[in-house]
């Protein structure tokens, strides 16, 4: 949902693209946003229903995106960065960001097939370099740790496919036989049986893939409904299963390196990553009540809510509105920027000025800048996600951003 030229949204009645509509009427975006983002919506809004692991990937920062697009426009179709936010609609699991270094060292010591792939010399070098400095906050230690992590990870990613496939057979056999003792009983974040089941499951989808070993470097995260996480540009991740709302800067650039038959660019991936390492708790978001909405009495009495997910970038924020009774109403104050609204459960009505529309699950609406928007439920559970951009105004002025 958005104006990206790869697949711009279209008006249902006229079949005109949203890109054409906002270019013809700059006021729909606001003059400031139209000027800054070249008459295009600054975000892409998606619903992903993941039944098979998506690729191990990262999205380039702005400078790298410009270079990749100039060099290879077929595989890198635009010159923009792509930080993104994920909100769980159903229980979700994925691999996101590098694990704490102690966990990686534990797996190098307790997963023989992983250690053999990386090589004894490279594994020992990593263990010696980070030992005693794993959680140091000194800048020189952090830089040294990141360099060591890059070396070890690159040693894995650059192995040839036949070597990886042979090691994967040993890994899967261990996962099938060892149960809770697999991978030295797991690490602080994940149990041995949990990791064994994950290896077996992923091998069933991508047999012998390097991703089976990448999971020992990355945080394995589970999100419950309503939980969210934010990924900066250059952060490595792979979404494994679940239904999610995803919002990102308007880009279609993906650097892939596993769990995919698509184009893979391992040299770019291993050189571009930040190699930041931290527990997944540091990537999870802390949503807050959205302050610029008024709920009617029915909404209050049914414990309805409007929750703001506000990442540390200006291109987008998302509000999840949950109306829990028929007649519950949420009135959103006008903002100086565009919004896209999608219903993921239930039914109701949307009103913008004199225009009223029926809303059902899967319906999507664009709301232009400076327009008050009213949502009203005609079911017992009405769930709506609203992505929006506002460069200046209440969110910034009141310190919410």
């Amino acid at each position: 949902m958005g104006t990206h030229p790869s697949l711009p949204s279209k008006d249902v009645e006229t079949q005109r693209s949203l890109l054409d509509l906002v270019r013809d009427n700059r006021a729909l975006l606001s003059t400031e946003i139209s000027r800054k983002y070249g008459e295009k919506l600054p975000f892409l809004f998606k619903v992903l229903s993941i039944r098979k692991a998506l690729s191990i990937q990262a999205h380039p920062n702005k400078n790298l995106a410009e270079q990749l697009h100039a060099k290879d426009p077929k595989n890198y179709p635009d010159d923009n960065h792509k930080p993104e936010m994920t909100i769980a609609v159903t229980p979700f699991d994925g691999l996101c960001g590098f694990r704490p270094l102690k966990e990686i060292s534990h797996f190098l010591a307790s997963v023989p097939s992983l250690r053999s792939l990386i090589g004894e010399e490279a594994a020992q070098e990593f263990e010696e370099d980070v030992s005693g400095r794993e959680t140091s906050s000194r800048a020189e230690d952090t830089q040294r740790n990141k360099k060591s992590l890059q070396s070890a990870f690159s040693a894995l990613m650059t192995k040839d496919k036949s070597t990886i496939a042979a090691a994967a057979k040993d890994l899967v056999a261990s996962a099938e036989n060892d149960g809770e003792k697999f991978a030295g009983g797991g690490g602080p974040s994940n149990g041995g049986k949990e990791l064994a089941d994950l290896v077996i499951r992923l091998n069933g989808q991508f047999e012998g893939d390097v991703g089976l070993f990448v999971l020992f470097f990355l945080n394995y995260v589970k999100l419950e409904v309503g939980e969210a996480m934010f990924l900066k540009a250059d952060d490595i991740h792979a979404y494994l299963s679940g239904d999610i709302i995803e919002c990102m800067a308007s880009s279609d650039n993906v650097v892939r390196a596993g769990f995919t038959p698509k184009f893979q660019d391992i040299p770019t991936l291993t050189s571009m990553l930040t190699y930041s390492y931290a527990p997944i708790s540091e990537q999870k978001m802390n949503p807050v009540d959205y302050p610029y909405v008024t709920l009617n009495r029915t909404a209050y009495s049914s414990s309805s809510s409007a929750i703001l997910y506000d990442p540390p970038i200006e291109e987008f924020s998302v509000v999840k509105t949950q109306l829990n009774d028929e007649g519950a109403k949420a009135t959103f104050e006008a903002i100086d920027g565009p919004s896209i609204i999608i219903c993921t459960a239930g039914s109701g009505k949307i009103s913008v000025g004199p225009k009223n529309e029926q809303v059902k699950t899967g319906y999507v609406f664009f709301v232009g800048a400076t327009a008050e928007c009213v949502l009203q439920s005609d079911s017992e559970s009405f769930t709506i996600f609203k992505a929006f951009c506002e460069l200046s105004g209440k969110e910034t002025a009141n310190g919410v951003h």
Side-chain angles (χ1 to χ4, degrees), residues 117-171:
L117 264 188
I118 289 172
E120 184 61 33
E121 185 177 341
Q124 278 190 14
E125 189 174 318
F126 173 81
E127 291 164 339
E128 291 168 4
D129 278 352
V130 304
S131 180
R133 303 183 188 87
E134 295 95 338
T135 58
S136 172
S137 58
R138 294 175 60 204
E140 55 267 39
D141 288 340
T142 300
Q143 284 306 114
R144 181 173 173 176
N145 287 345
K146 287 183 177 182
K147 188 174 180 181
S148 297
L149 179 55
Q150 180 175 10
S151 295
F153 186 68
S154 298
L156 169 64
M157 298 305 293
T158 53
K159 283 291 184 292
D160 64 85
K161 287 188 176 183
S162 60
T163 304
I164 293 168
K169 289 183 179 179
D170 293 337
L171 179 70

Side-chain angles (χ1 to χ4, degrees), residues 320-336:
K320 178 186 179 182
T321 304
Q322 181 68 49
L323 299 178
N324 292 325
D325 200 1
E326 186 174 348
K329 182 189 292 186
T331 301
F332 288 86
E333 296 178 24
I335 61 172
D336 195 21

Side-chain angles (χ1 to χ4, degrees), residues 167-229:
K169 289 183 179 179
D170 293 337
L171 179 70
V172 173
S174 178
E176 290 172 340
N177 295 326
D178 294 350
E180 195 57 60
K181 295 179 180 179
F182 177 70
S189 305
N190 310 114
K193 181 69 163 57
E194 181 180 38
L195 290 174
D197 290 346
L198 181 61
V199 166
I200 294 165
R201 177 179 128 207
L202 293 175
N203 188 64
Q205 297 176 9
F206 294 96
E207 186 175 358
D209 194 272
V210 69
L212 303 177
F213 296 96
V214 170
L215 68 86
F216 295 108
F217 279 86
L218 305 186
N219 289 299
Y220 176 50
V221 59
K222 294 181 178 180
L223 297 181
E224 296 303 321
V225 176
E227 287 191 306
M229 62 184 178

